[in-house]
């Protein structure tokens, strides 16, 4: 077993990186995969909250890197999924306490015993971002169908390309069909056409995402919710399955949209 | 480490565009530390300086270049340009929004050119999409095989030719040449300038220029005529 390291990045903050990391972790674990998530958003940790593991933190990422505990001690086991673990971020440290080399070493230590290592990255392109992408085998770029979020996603993709990292896959989060129909929001085809990387998921705007995150039970634990289903689909696509995209926006011909969506990206 | 060794690692001199730092051979980490040490030793000299870094054929990735820029900016210095013969380094600098050529007056002086603002026949070819945040400035023509996305910027002393969709900002004839032109398979820039002219045409765009006009687009060319920028369909037969 050799885990694949997947880093979730965005450029802009608040687009849904942490939500995506938590839900993909749950979806992959529910399918029987061994998953460990790493919260690389040092100083602003919140993956533990969304996963409902906040009250069980003893050691964190910086403790591991600085040798104050063994790796296993910092891995919080999720009781709902025996094969899901979290390495939380330090709450009070600055991001320079971890280096890209530390992240690569850490992941190399985790790889043999897991299927997936998911890294939640901070917003921006500074040191924390470079830490998060250093060990990545694949990047998931999360954006919202908004001009400013897409602009920042484009910037991040440019950096990923310059770093010769990748492949990068696109997740469009918070798609709102009503706004698209009114012509007030970019369609997923618009976003995909501009960013020109392969699309791996479209997640609808869904208030149950917020409600379930607040309860520490990611929405993917509830298969009835549309956003939950979307995250399960992404998990299956990560595993190489071909899963049709949910039909979330249709400003013009429905079939035309679908065929455009599943066309792979330009690069 | 002695002053002398440091001077073998890096060389600093004043130029018209700020301070030019030339790095020598050796481990990047060591050179980087030498530079930061210089900067700290002579903090008052460096404070507020604009730095041009000449890296020769060294290959640097975004992590290294980005962290150096962060370190310098923490010390009140802006790293605005990187010169390198390595394509990776040059591309990385462009993605980080740094200049990779110095403005032309210096270059033409160095080459003894009499042409002043004219870009002559020099051209650079970019075989990739220029994504948001990328800034490319060149004292000749610029040819892009790929798109120029919103948030990317091209500044050329000569013409700009985009074999793709142009949705970023472009300034052709930037050193004052109004006979420069801009053409693209899909011409929908956020901003278009030629020499001192700014396009006054209604910009055809949808949702802040993120997406170009819908449907099939025609190749178009922008040039200055009668004191304003006009955009016409590209018609090779007329040329
Ligand atoms: N698909 C969605 N529908 C509704 N709310 C969402 C969705 N995705 C994320 N959110 C909410 O948006 C906010 C920011 O999400 P978060 O994952 O913390 O972003 P990031 O980690 O990128 O900063 C959170 O309150 C989250 O619950
Ligand atoms: Mg987050």
């Amino acid at each position: 077993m050799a885990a694949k390291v997947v880093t979730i990045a965005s450029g802009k903050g608040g687009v849904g990186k942490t939500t995506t990391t938590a839900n993909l972790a749950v979806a992959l674990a529910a399918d029987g995969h061994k998953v460990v998530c790493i919260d690389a958003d040092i100083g602003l940790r919140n993956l533990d909250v969304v996963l409902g593991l906040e009250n069980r933190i003893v050691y964190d990422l910086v403790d591991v890197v600085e040798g104050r505990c063994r790796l296993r001690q910092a891995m919080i086991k999720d009781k709902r999924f025996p094969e899901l673990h979290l390495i939380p971020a330090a709450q009070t440290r600055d991001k320079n306490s971890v280096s890209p080399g530390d992240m690569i070493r850490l992941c190399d230590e985790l790889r043999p015993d897991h299927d997936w290592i998911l890294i939640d990255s901070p917003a921006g392109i500074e040191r924390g971002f470079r830490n998060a992408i250093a060990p990545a085998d694949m990047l998931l770029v999360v954006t919202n169908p908004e001009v400013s979020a897409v602009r920042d996603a484009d910037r991040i993709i440019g950096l990923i390309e310059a770093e010769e990292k990748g492949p990068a896959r696109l997740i469009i989060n918070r798609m709102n069909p009503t706004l698209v129909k009114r012509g007030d929001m970019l369609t997923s085809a618009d976003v995909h056409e501009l960013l020109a990387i392969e699309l791996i998921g479209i997640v609808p705007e869904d208030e149950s995402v917020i409600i379930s995150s607040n309860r520490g039970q990611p929405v993917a634990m509830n298969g009835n919710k549309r956003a939950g289903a979307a995250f399960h689909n992404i998990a299956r696509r990560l595993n190489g399955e071909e899963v049709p995209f949910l039909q979330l926006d249709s400003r013009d011909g429905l079939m035309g949209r679908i065929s455009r969506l599943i066309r792979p990206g330009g690069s | 480490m002695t002053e002398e060794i440091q001077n073998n690692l890096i060389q600093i001199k004043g130029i018209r565009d700020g301070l030019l730092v030339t790095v020598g051979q050796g481990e990047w980490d060591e050179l980087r530390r030498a530079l930061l040490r210089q900067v700290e030793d002579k903090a008052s000299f460096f404070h507020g300086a604009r730095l041009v870094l000449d890296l020769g054929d060294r290959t640097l990735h975004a992590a290294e270049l980005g962290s150096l820029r962060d370190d310098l900016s923490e010390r009140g210095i802006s790293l605005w340009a990187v010169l390198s013969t390595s394509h990776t380094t040059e591309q990385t600098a462009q993605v980080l929004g740094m200049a990779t050529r110095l403005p032309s007056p210096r270059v033409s002086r160095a080459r003894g050119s009499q042409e002043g603002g004219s870009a002559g026949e020099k051209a650079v070819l970019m075989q990739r999409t220029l994504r948001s945040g990328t800034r490319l400035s060149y004292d000749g023509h610029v040819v892009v095989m790929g798109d120029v996305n919103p948030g990317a910027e091209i500044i050329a002393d000569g013409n700009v030719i985009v074999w793709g969709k142009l949705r970023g900002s472009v300034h052709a004839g930037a050193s004052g040449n109004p006979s420069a032109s801009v053409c693209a398979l899909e011409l929908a820039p956020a901003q278009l300038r030629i020499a001192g002219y700014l396009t006054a045409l209604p910009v055809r765009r949808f949702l802040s220029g993120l997406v170009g006009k819908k449907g099939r687009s025609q190749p178009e060319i922008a040039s200055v005529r009668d004191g304003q920028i006009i955009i016409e369909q590209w018609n090779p037969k007329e040329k």
Side-chain angles (χ1 to χ4, degrees):
Chain A
M1 195 161 31
K4 200 157 187 182
V5 181
V6 179
T7 296
I8 293 86
S10 73
K12 190 167 187 259
V15 298
K17 288 179 298 298
T18 300
T19 304
T20 300
T21 310
N23 280 288
L24 289 182
V26 162
L28 287 166
D31 287 343
H33 295 274
K34 296 189 172 185
V35 184
V36 53
C37 338
I38 305 176
D39 189 347
D41 197 353
I42 296 170
L44 276 176
R45 81 170 186 216
N46 51 24
L47 185 56
D48 52 314
V49 180
V50 176
L51 281 168
L53 300 173
E54 187 185 12
N55 52 2
R56 306 208 5 238
I57 296 179
V58 181
Y59 295 109
D60 59 45
L61 179 60
V62 175
D63 292 323
V64 178
V65 166
E66 294 183 348
R68 272 188 300 279
C69 70
R70 281 176 296 110
L71 177 55
R72 280 277 153 195
Q73 291 176 290
M75 290 170 63
I76 304 170
K77 189 183 174 84
D78 190 319
K79 288 176 182 146
R80 301 162 297 191
F81 301 95
E83 299 294 1
L84 173 58
H85 289 87
L86 167 71
I87 301 177
Q91 183 94 282
T92 51
R93 298 308 198 76
D94 97 308
K95 43 192 170 289
N96 292 322
S97 29
V98 177
S99 74
D102 292 332
M103 292 298 288
I104 292 171
R105 275 189 297 278
L106 180 73
C107 287
D108 284 345
E109 206 178 328
L110 290 164
R111 275 178 206 266
D113 307 321
H114 296 89
D115 299 309
W116 296 96
I117 300 171
L118 304 183
I119 303 179
D120 185 13
S121 66
I125 56 170
E126 306 309 321
R127 173 71 170 267
F129 168 70
R130 294 196 293 269
N131 286 341
I133 69 166
D137 301 316
M138 180 192 269
L139 291 110
L140 299 181
V141 176
V142 183
T143 191
N144 297 151
E146 282 167 26
V147 173
S148 61
V150 172
R151 212 46 89 88
D152 289 358
D154 194 34
R155 183 124 202 245
I156 283 291
I157 295 167
L159 277 172
I160 292 167
E161 288 172 350
E163 293 265 322
E164 287 160 17
K165 279 281 171 192
R169 300 279 183 265
L170 179 64
I171 295 177
I172 305 173
N173 184 30
R174 307 194 80 155
M175 201 73 220
N176 183 329
T178 318
L179 287 182
V180 170
K181 260 190 216 111
R182 287 209 314 250
D184 286 334
M185 186 181 253
L186 298 175
T187 64
S188 45
D190 293 334
V191 177
H192 183 212
E193 193 265 343
L194 186 106
L195 296 177
I197 60 171
E198 197 177 311
L199 184 65
I200 197 171
I202 306 173
V203 183
E205 169 80 29
D206 184 344
E207 65 172 21
S208 58
V209 170
I210 302 171
I211 298 167
S212 42
S213 292
N214 287 341
R215 291 193 185 133
Q217 297 173 348
V219 70
M221 290 174 71
N222 183 343
N224 300 327
K225 299 296 181 191
R226 290 216 304 163
F231 285 117
H232 279 281
N233 286 347
I234 297 173
R236 288 165 60 198
R237 290 185 195 110
L238 278 175
N239 278 302
E241 264 182 72
E242 276 199 30
V243 186
F245 283 83
L246 300 176
Q247 182 57 36
L248 295 173
D249 57 357
S250 48
R251 192 186 298 157
D252 53 35
L254 187 124
M255 290 323 286
R257 279 289 164 195
I258 294 178
S259 63
R260 253 186 285 171
L261 284 181
I262 45 189
R263 179 196 66 196
S267 60
Chain B
M1 199 178 281
T2 68
E3 188 70 21
E4 207 184 341
I5 296 171
Q6 281 189 27
N7 289 342
N8 286 338
L9 294 173
I10 53 166
Q11 219 184 64
I12 301 171
K13 69 173 185 190
I15 57 170
R16 206 183 58 113
D17 309 291
L19 293 174
L20 176 67
V21 177
T22 310
V23 302
Q25 299 299 313
E27 282 291 308
W28 172 245
D29 254 1
E30 203 179 327
L31 294 165
R32 183 171 157 273
R33 258 175 292 160
L35 173 58
L36 293 176
R37 206 161 37 226
Q38 282 276 352
V39 162
E40 275 158 12
D41 288 353
K42 304 194 175 76
S44 59
F45 171 70
F46 278 102
H47 196 85
R50 282 159 50 78
L51 222 71
V52 179
L53 188 62
D54 187 346
L55 290 166
D57 60 0
R58 181 180 296 273
T59 300
L60 279 193
H61 294 281
E64 295 154 326
L65 210 48
S67 79
L68 177 66
R69 181 172 65 176
D70 297 349
D71 289 339
L72 289 169
S73 89
E74 276 165 23
R75 292 162 176 82
I77 298 163
S78 97
L79 176 60
W80 74 279
V82 167
L83 310 177
S84 172
T85 55
S86 149
H87 279 297
T88 308
T89 307
E90 201 170 55
Q91 181 180 342
T92 301
Q94 286 161 359
V95 167
L96 290 170
M98 300 178 205
T100 49
R101 313 275 156 150
L102 297 181
S104 49
R106 198 188 89 97
V107 175
S108 33
R109 233 189 2 256
R111 301 210 174 137
S113 158
Q114 300 301 306
E115 283 182 296
S118 161
E121 295 305 313
K122 256 174 47 161
V124 65
L125 173 66
M126 306 292 290
Q127 284 180 282
R128 60 184 171 92
T129 286
L130 303 190
R131 293 187 181 273
S132 176
T134 304
R135 184 170 184 276
L136 173 65
S137 60
Y138 187 66
D139 59 332
H141 309 297
V142 171
V143 182
V144 179
M145 291 179 73
D147 296 339
V148 178
N149 283 355
E153 192 180 4
I154 296 177
I155 300 148
D157 283 357
N159 303 337
V160 176
I161 297 142
V162 179
W163 189 258
K165 304 180 185 101
L166 171 51
R167 298 158 176 173
S169 305
V170 58
H171 191 176
S175 55
N177 176 9
S179 60
S181 60
V182 176
C183 52
L185 293 186
E186 182 178 320
L187 189 71
Q191 193 190 84
L192 194 155
R193 288 158 72 190
I194 296 175
Y197 302 94
L198 186 69
T199 179
L201 288 165
V203 187
R204 292 151 305 181
R205 55 189 180 157
F206 168 64
L207 289 171
S208 317
L210 179 66
V211 174
K213 53 196 167 163
K214 298 287 172 181
R216 272 237 237 138
S217 56
Q218 289 281 332
E220 289 177 313
I221 178 163
S223 54
V224 175
R225 200 178 302 156
D226 303 328
Q228 63 174 18
I229 295 177
I230 56 156
I231 295 180
E232 297 164 297
Q233 257 182 35
W234 170 257
N235 189 344
K237 291 191 196 96
E238 282 176 13
K239 297 282 148 180

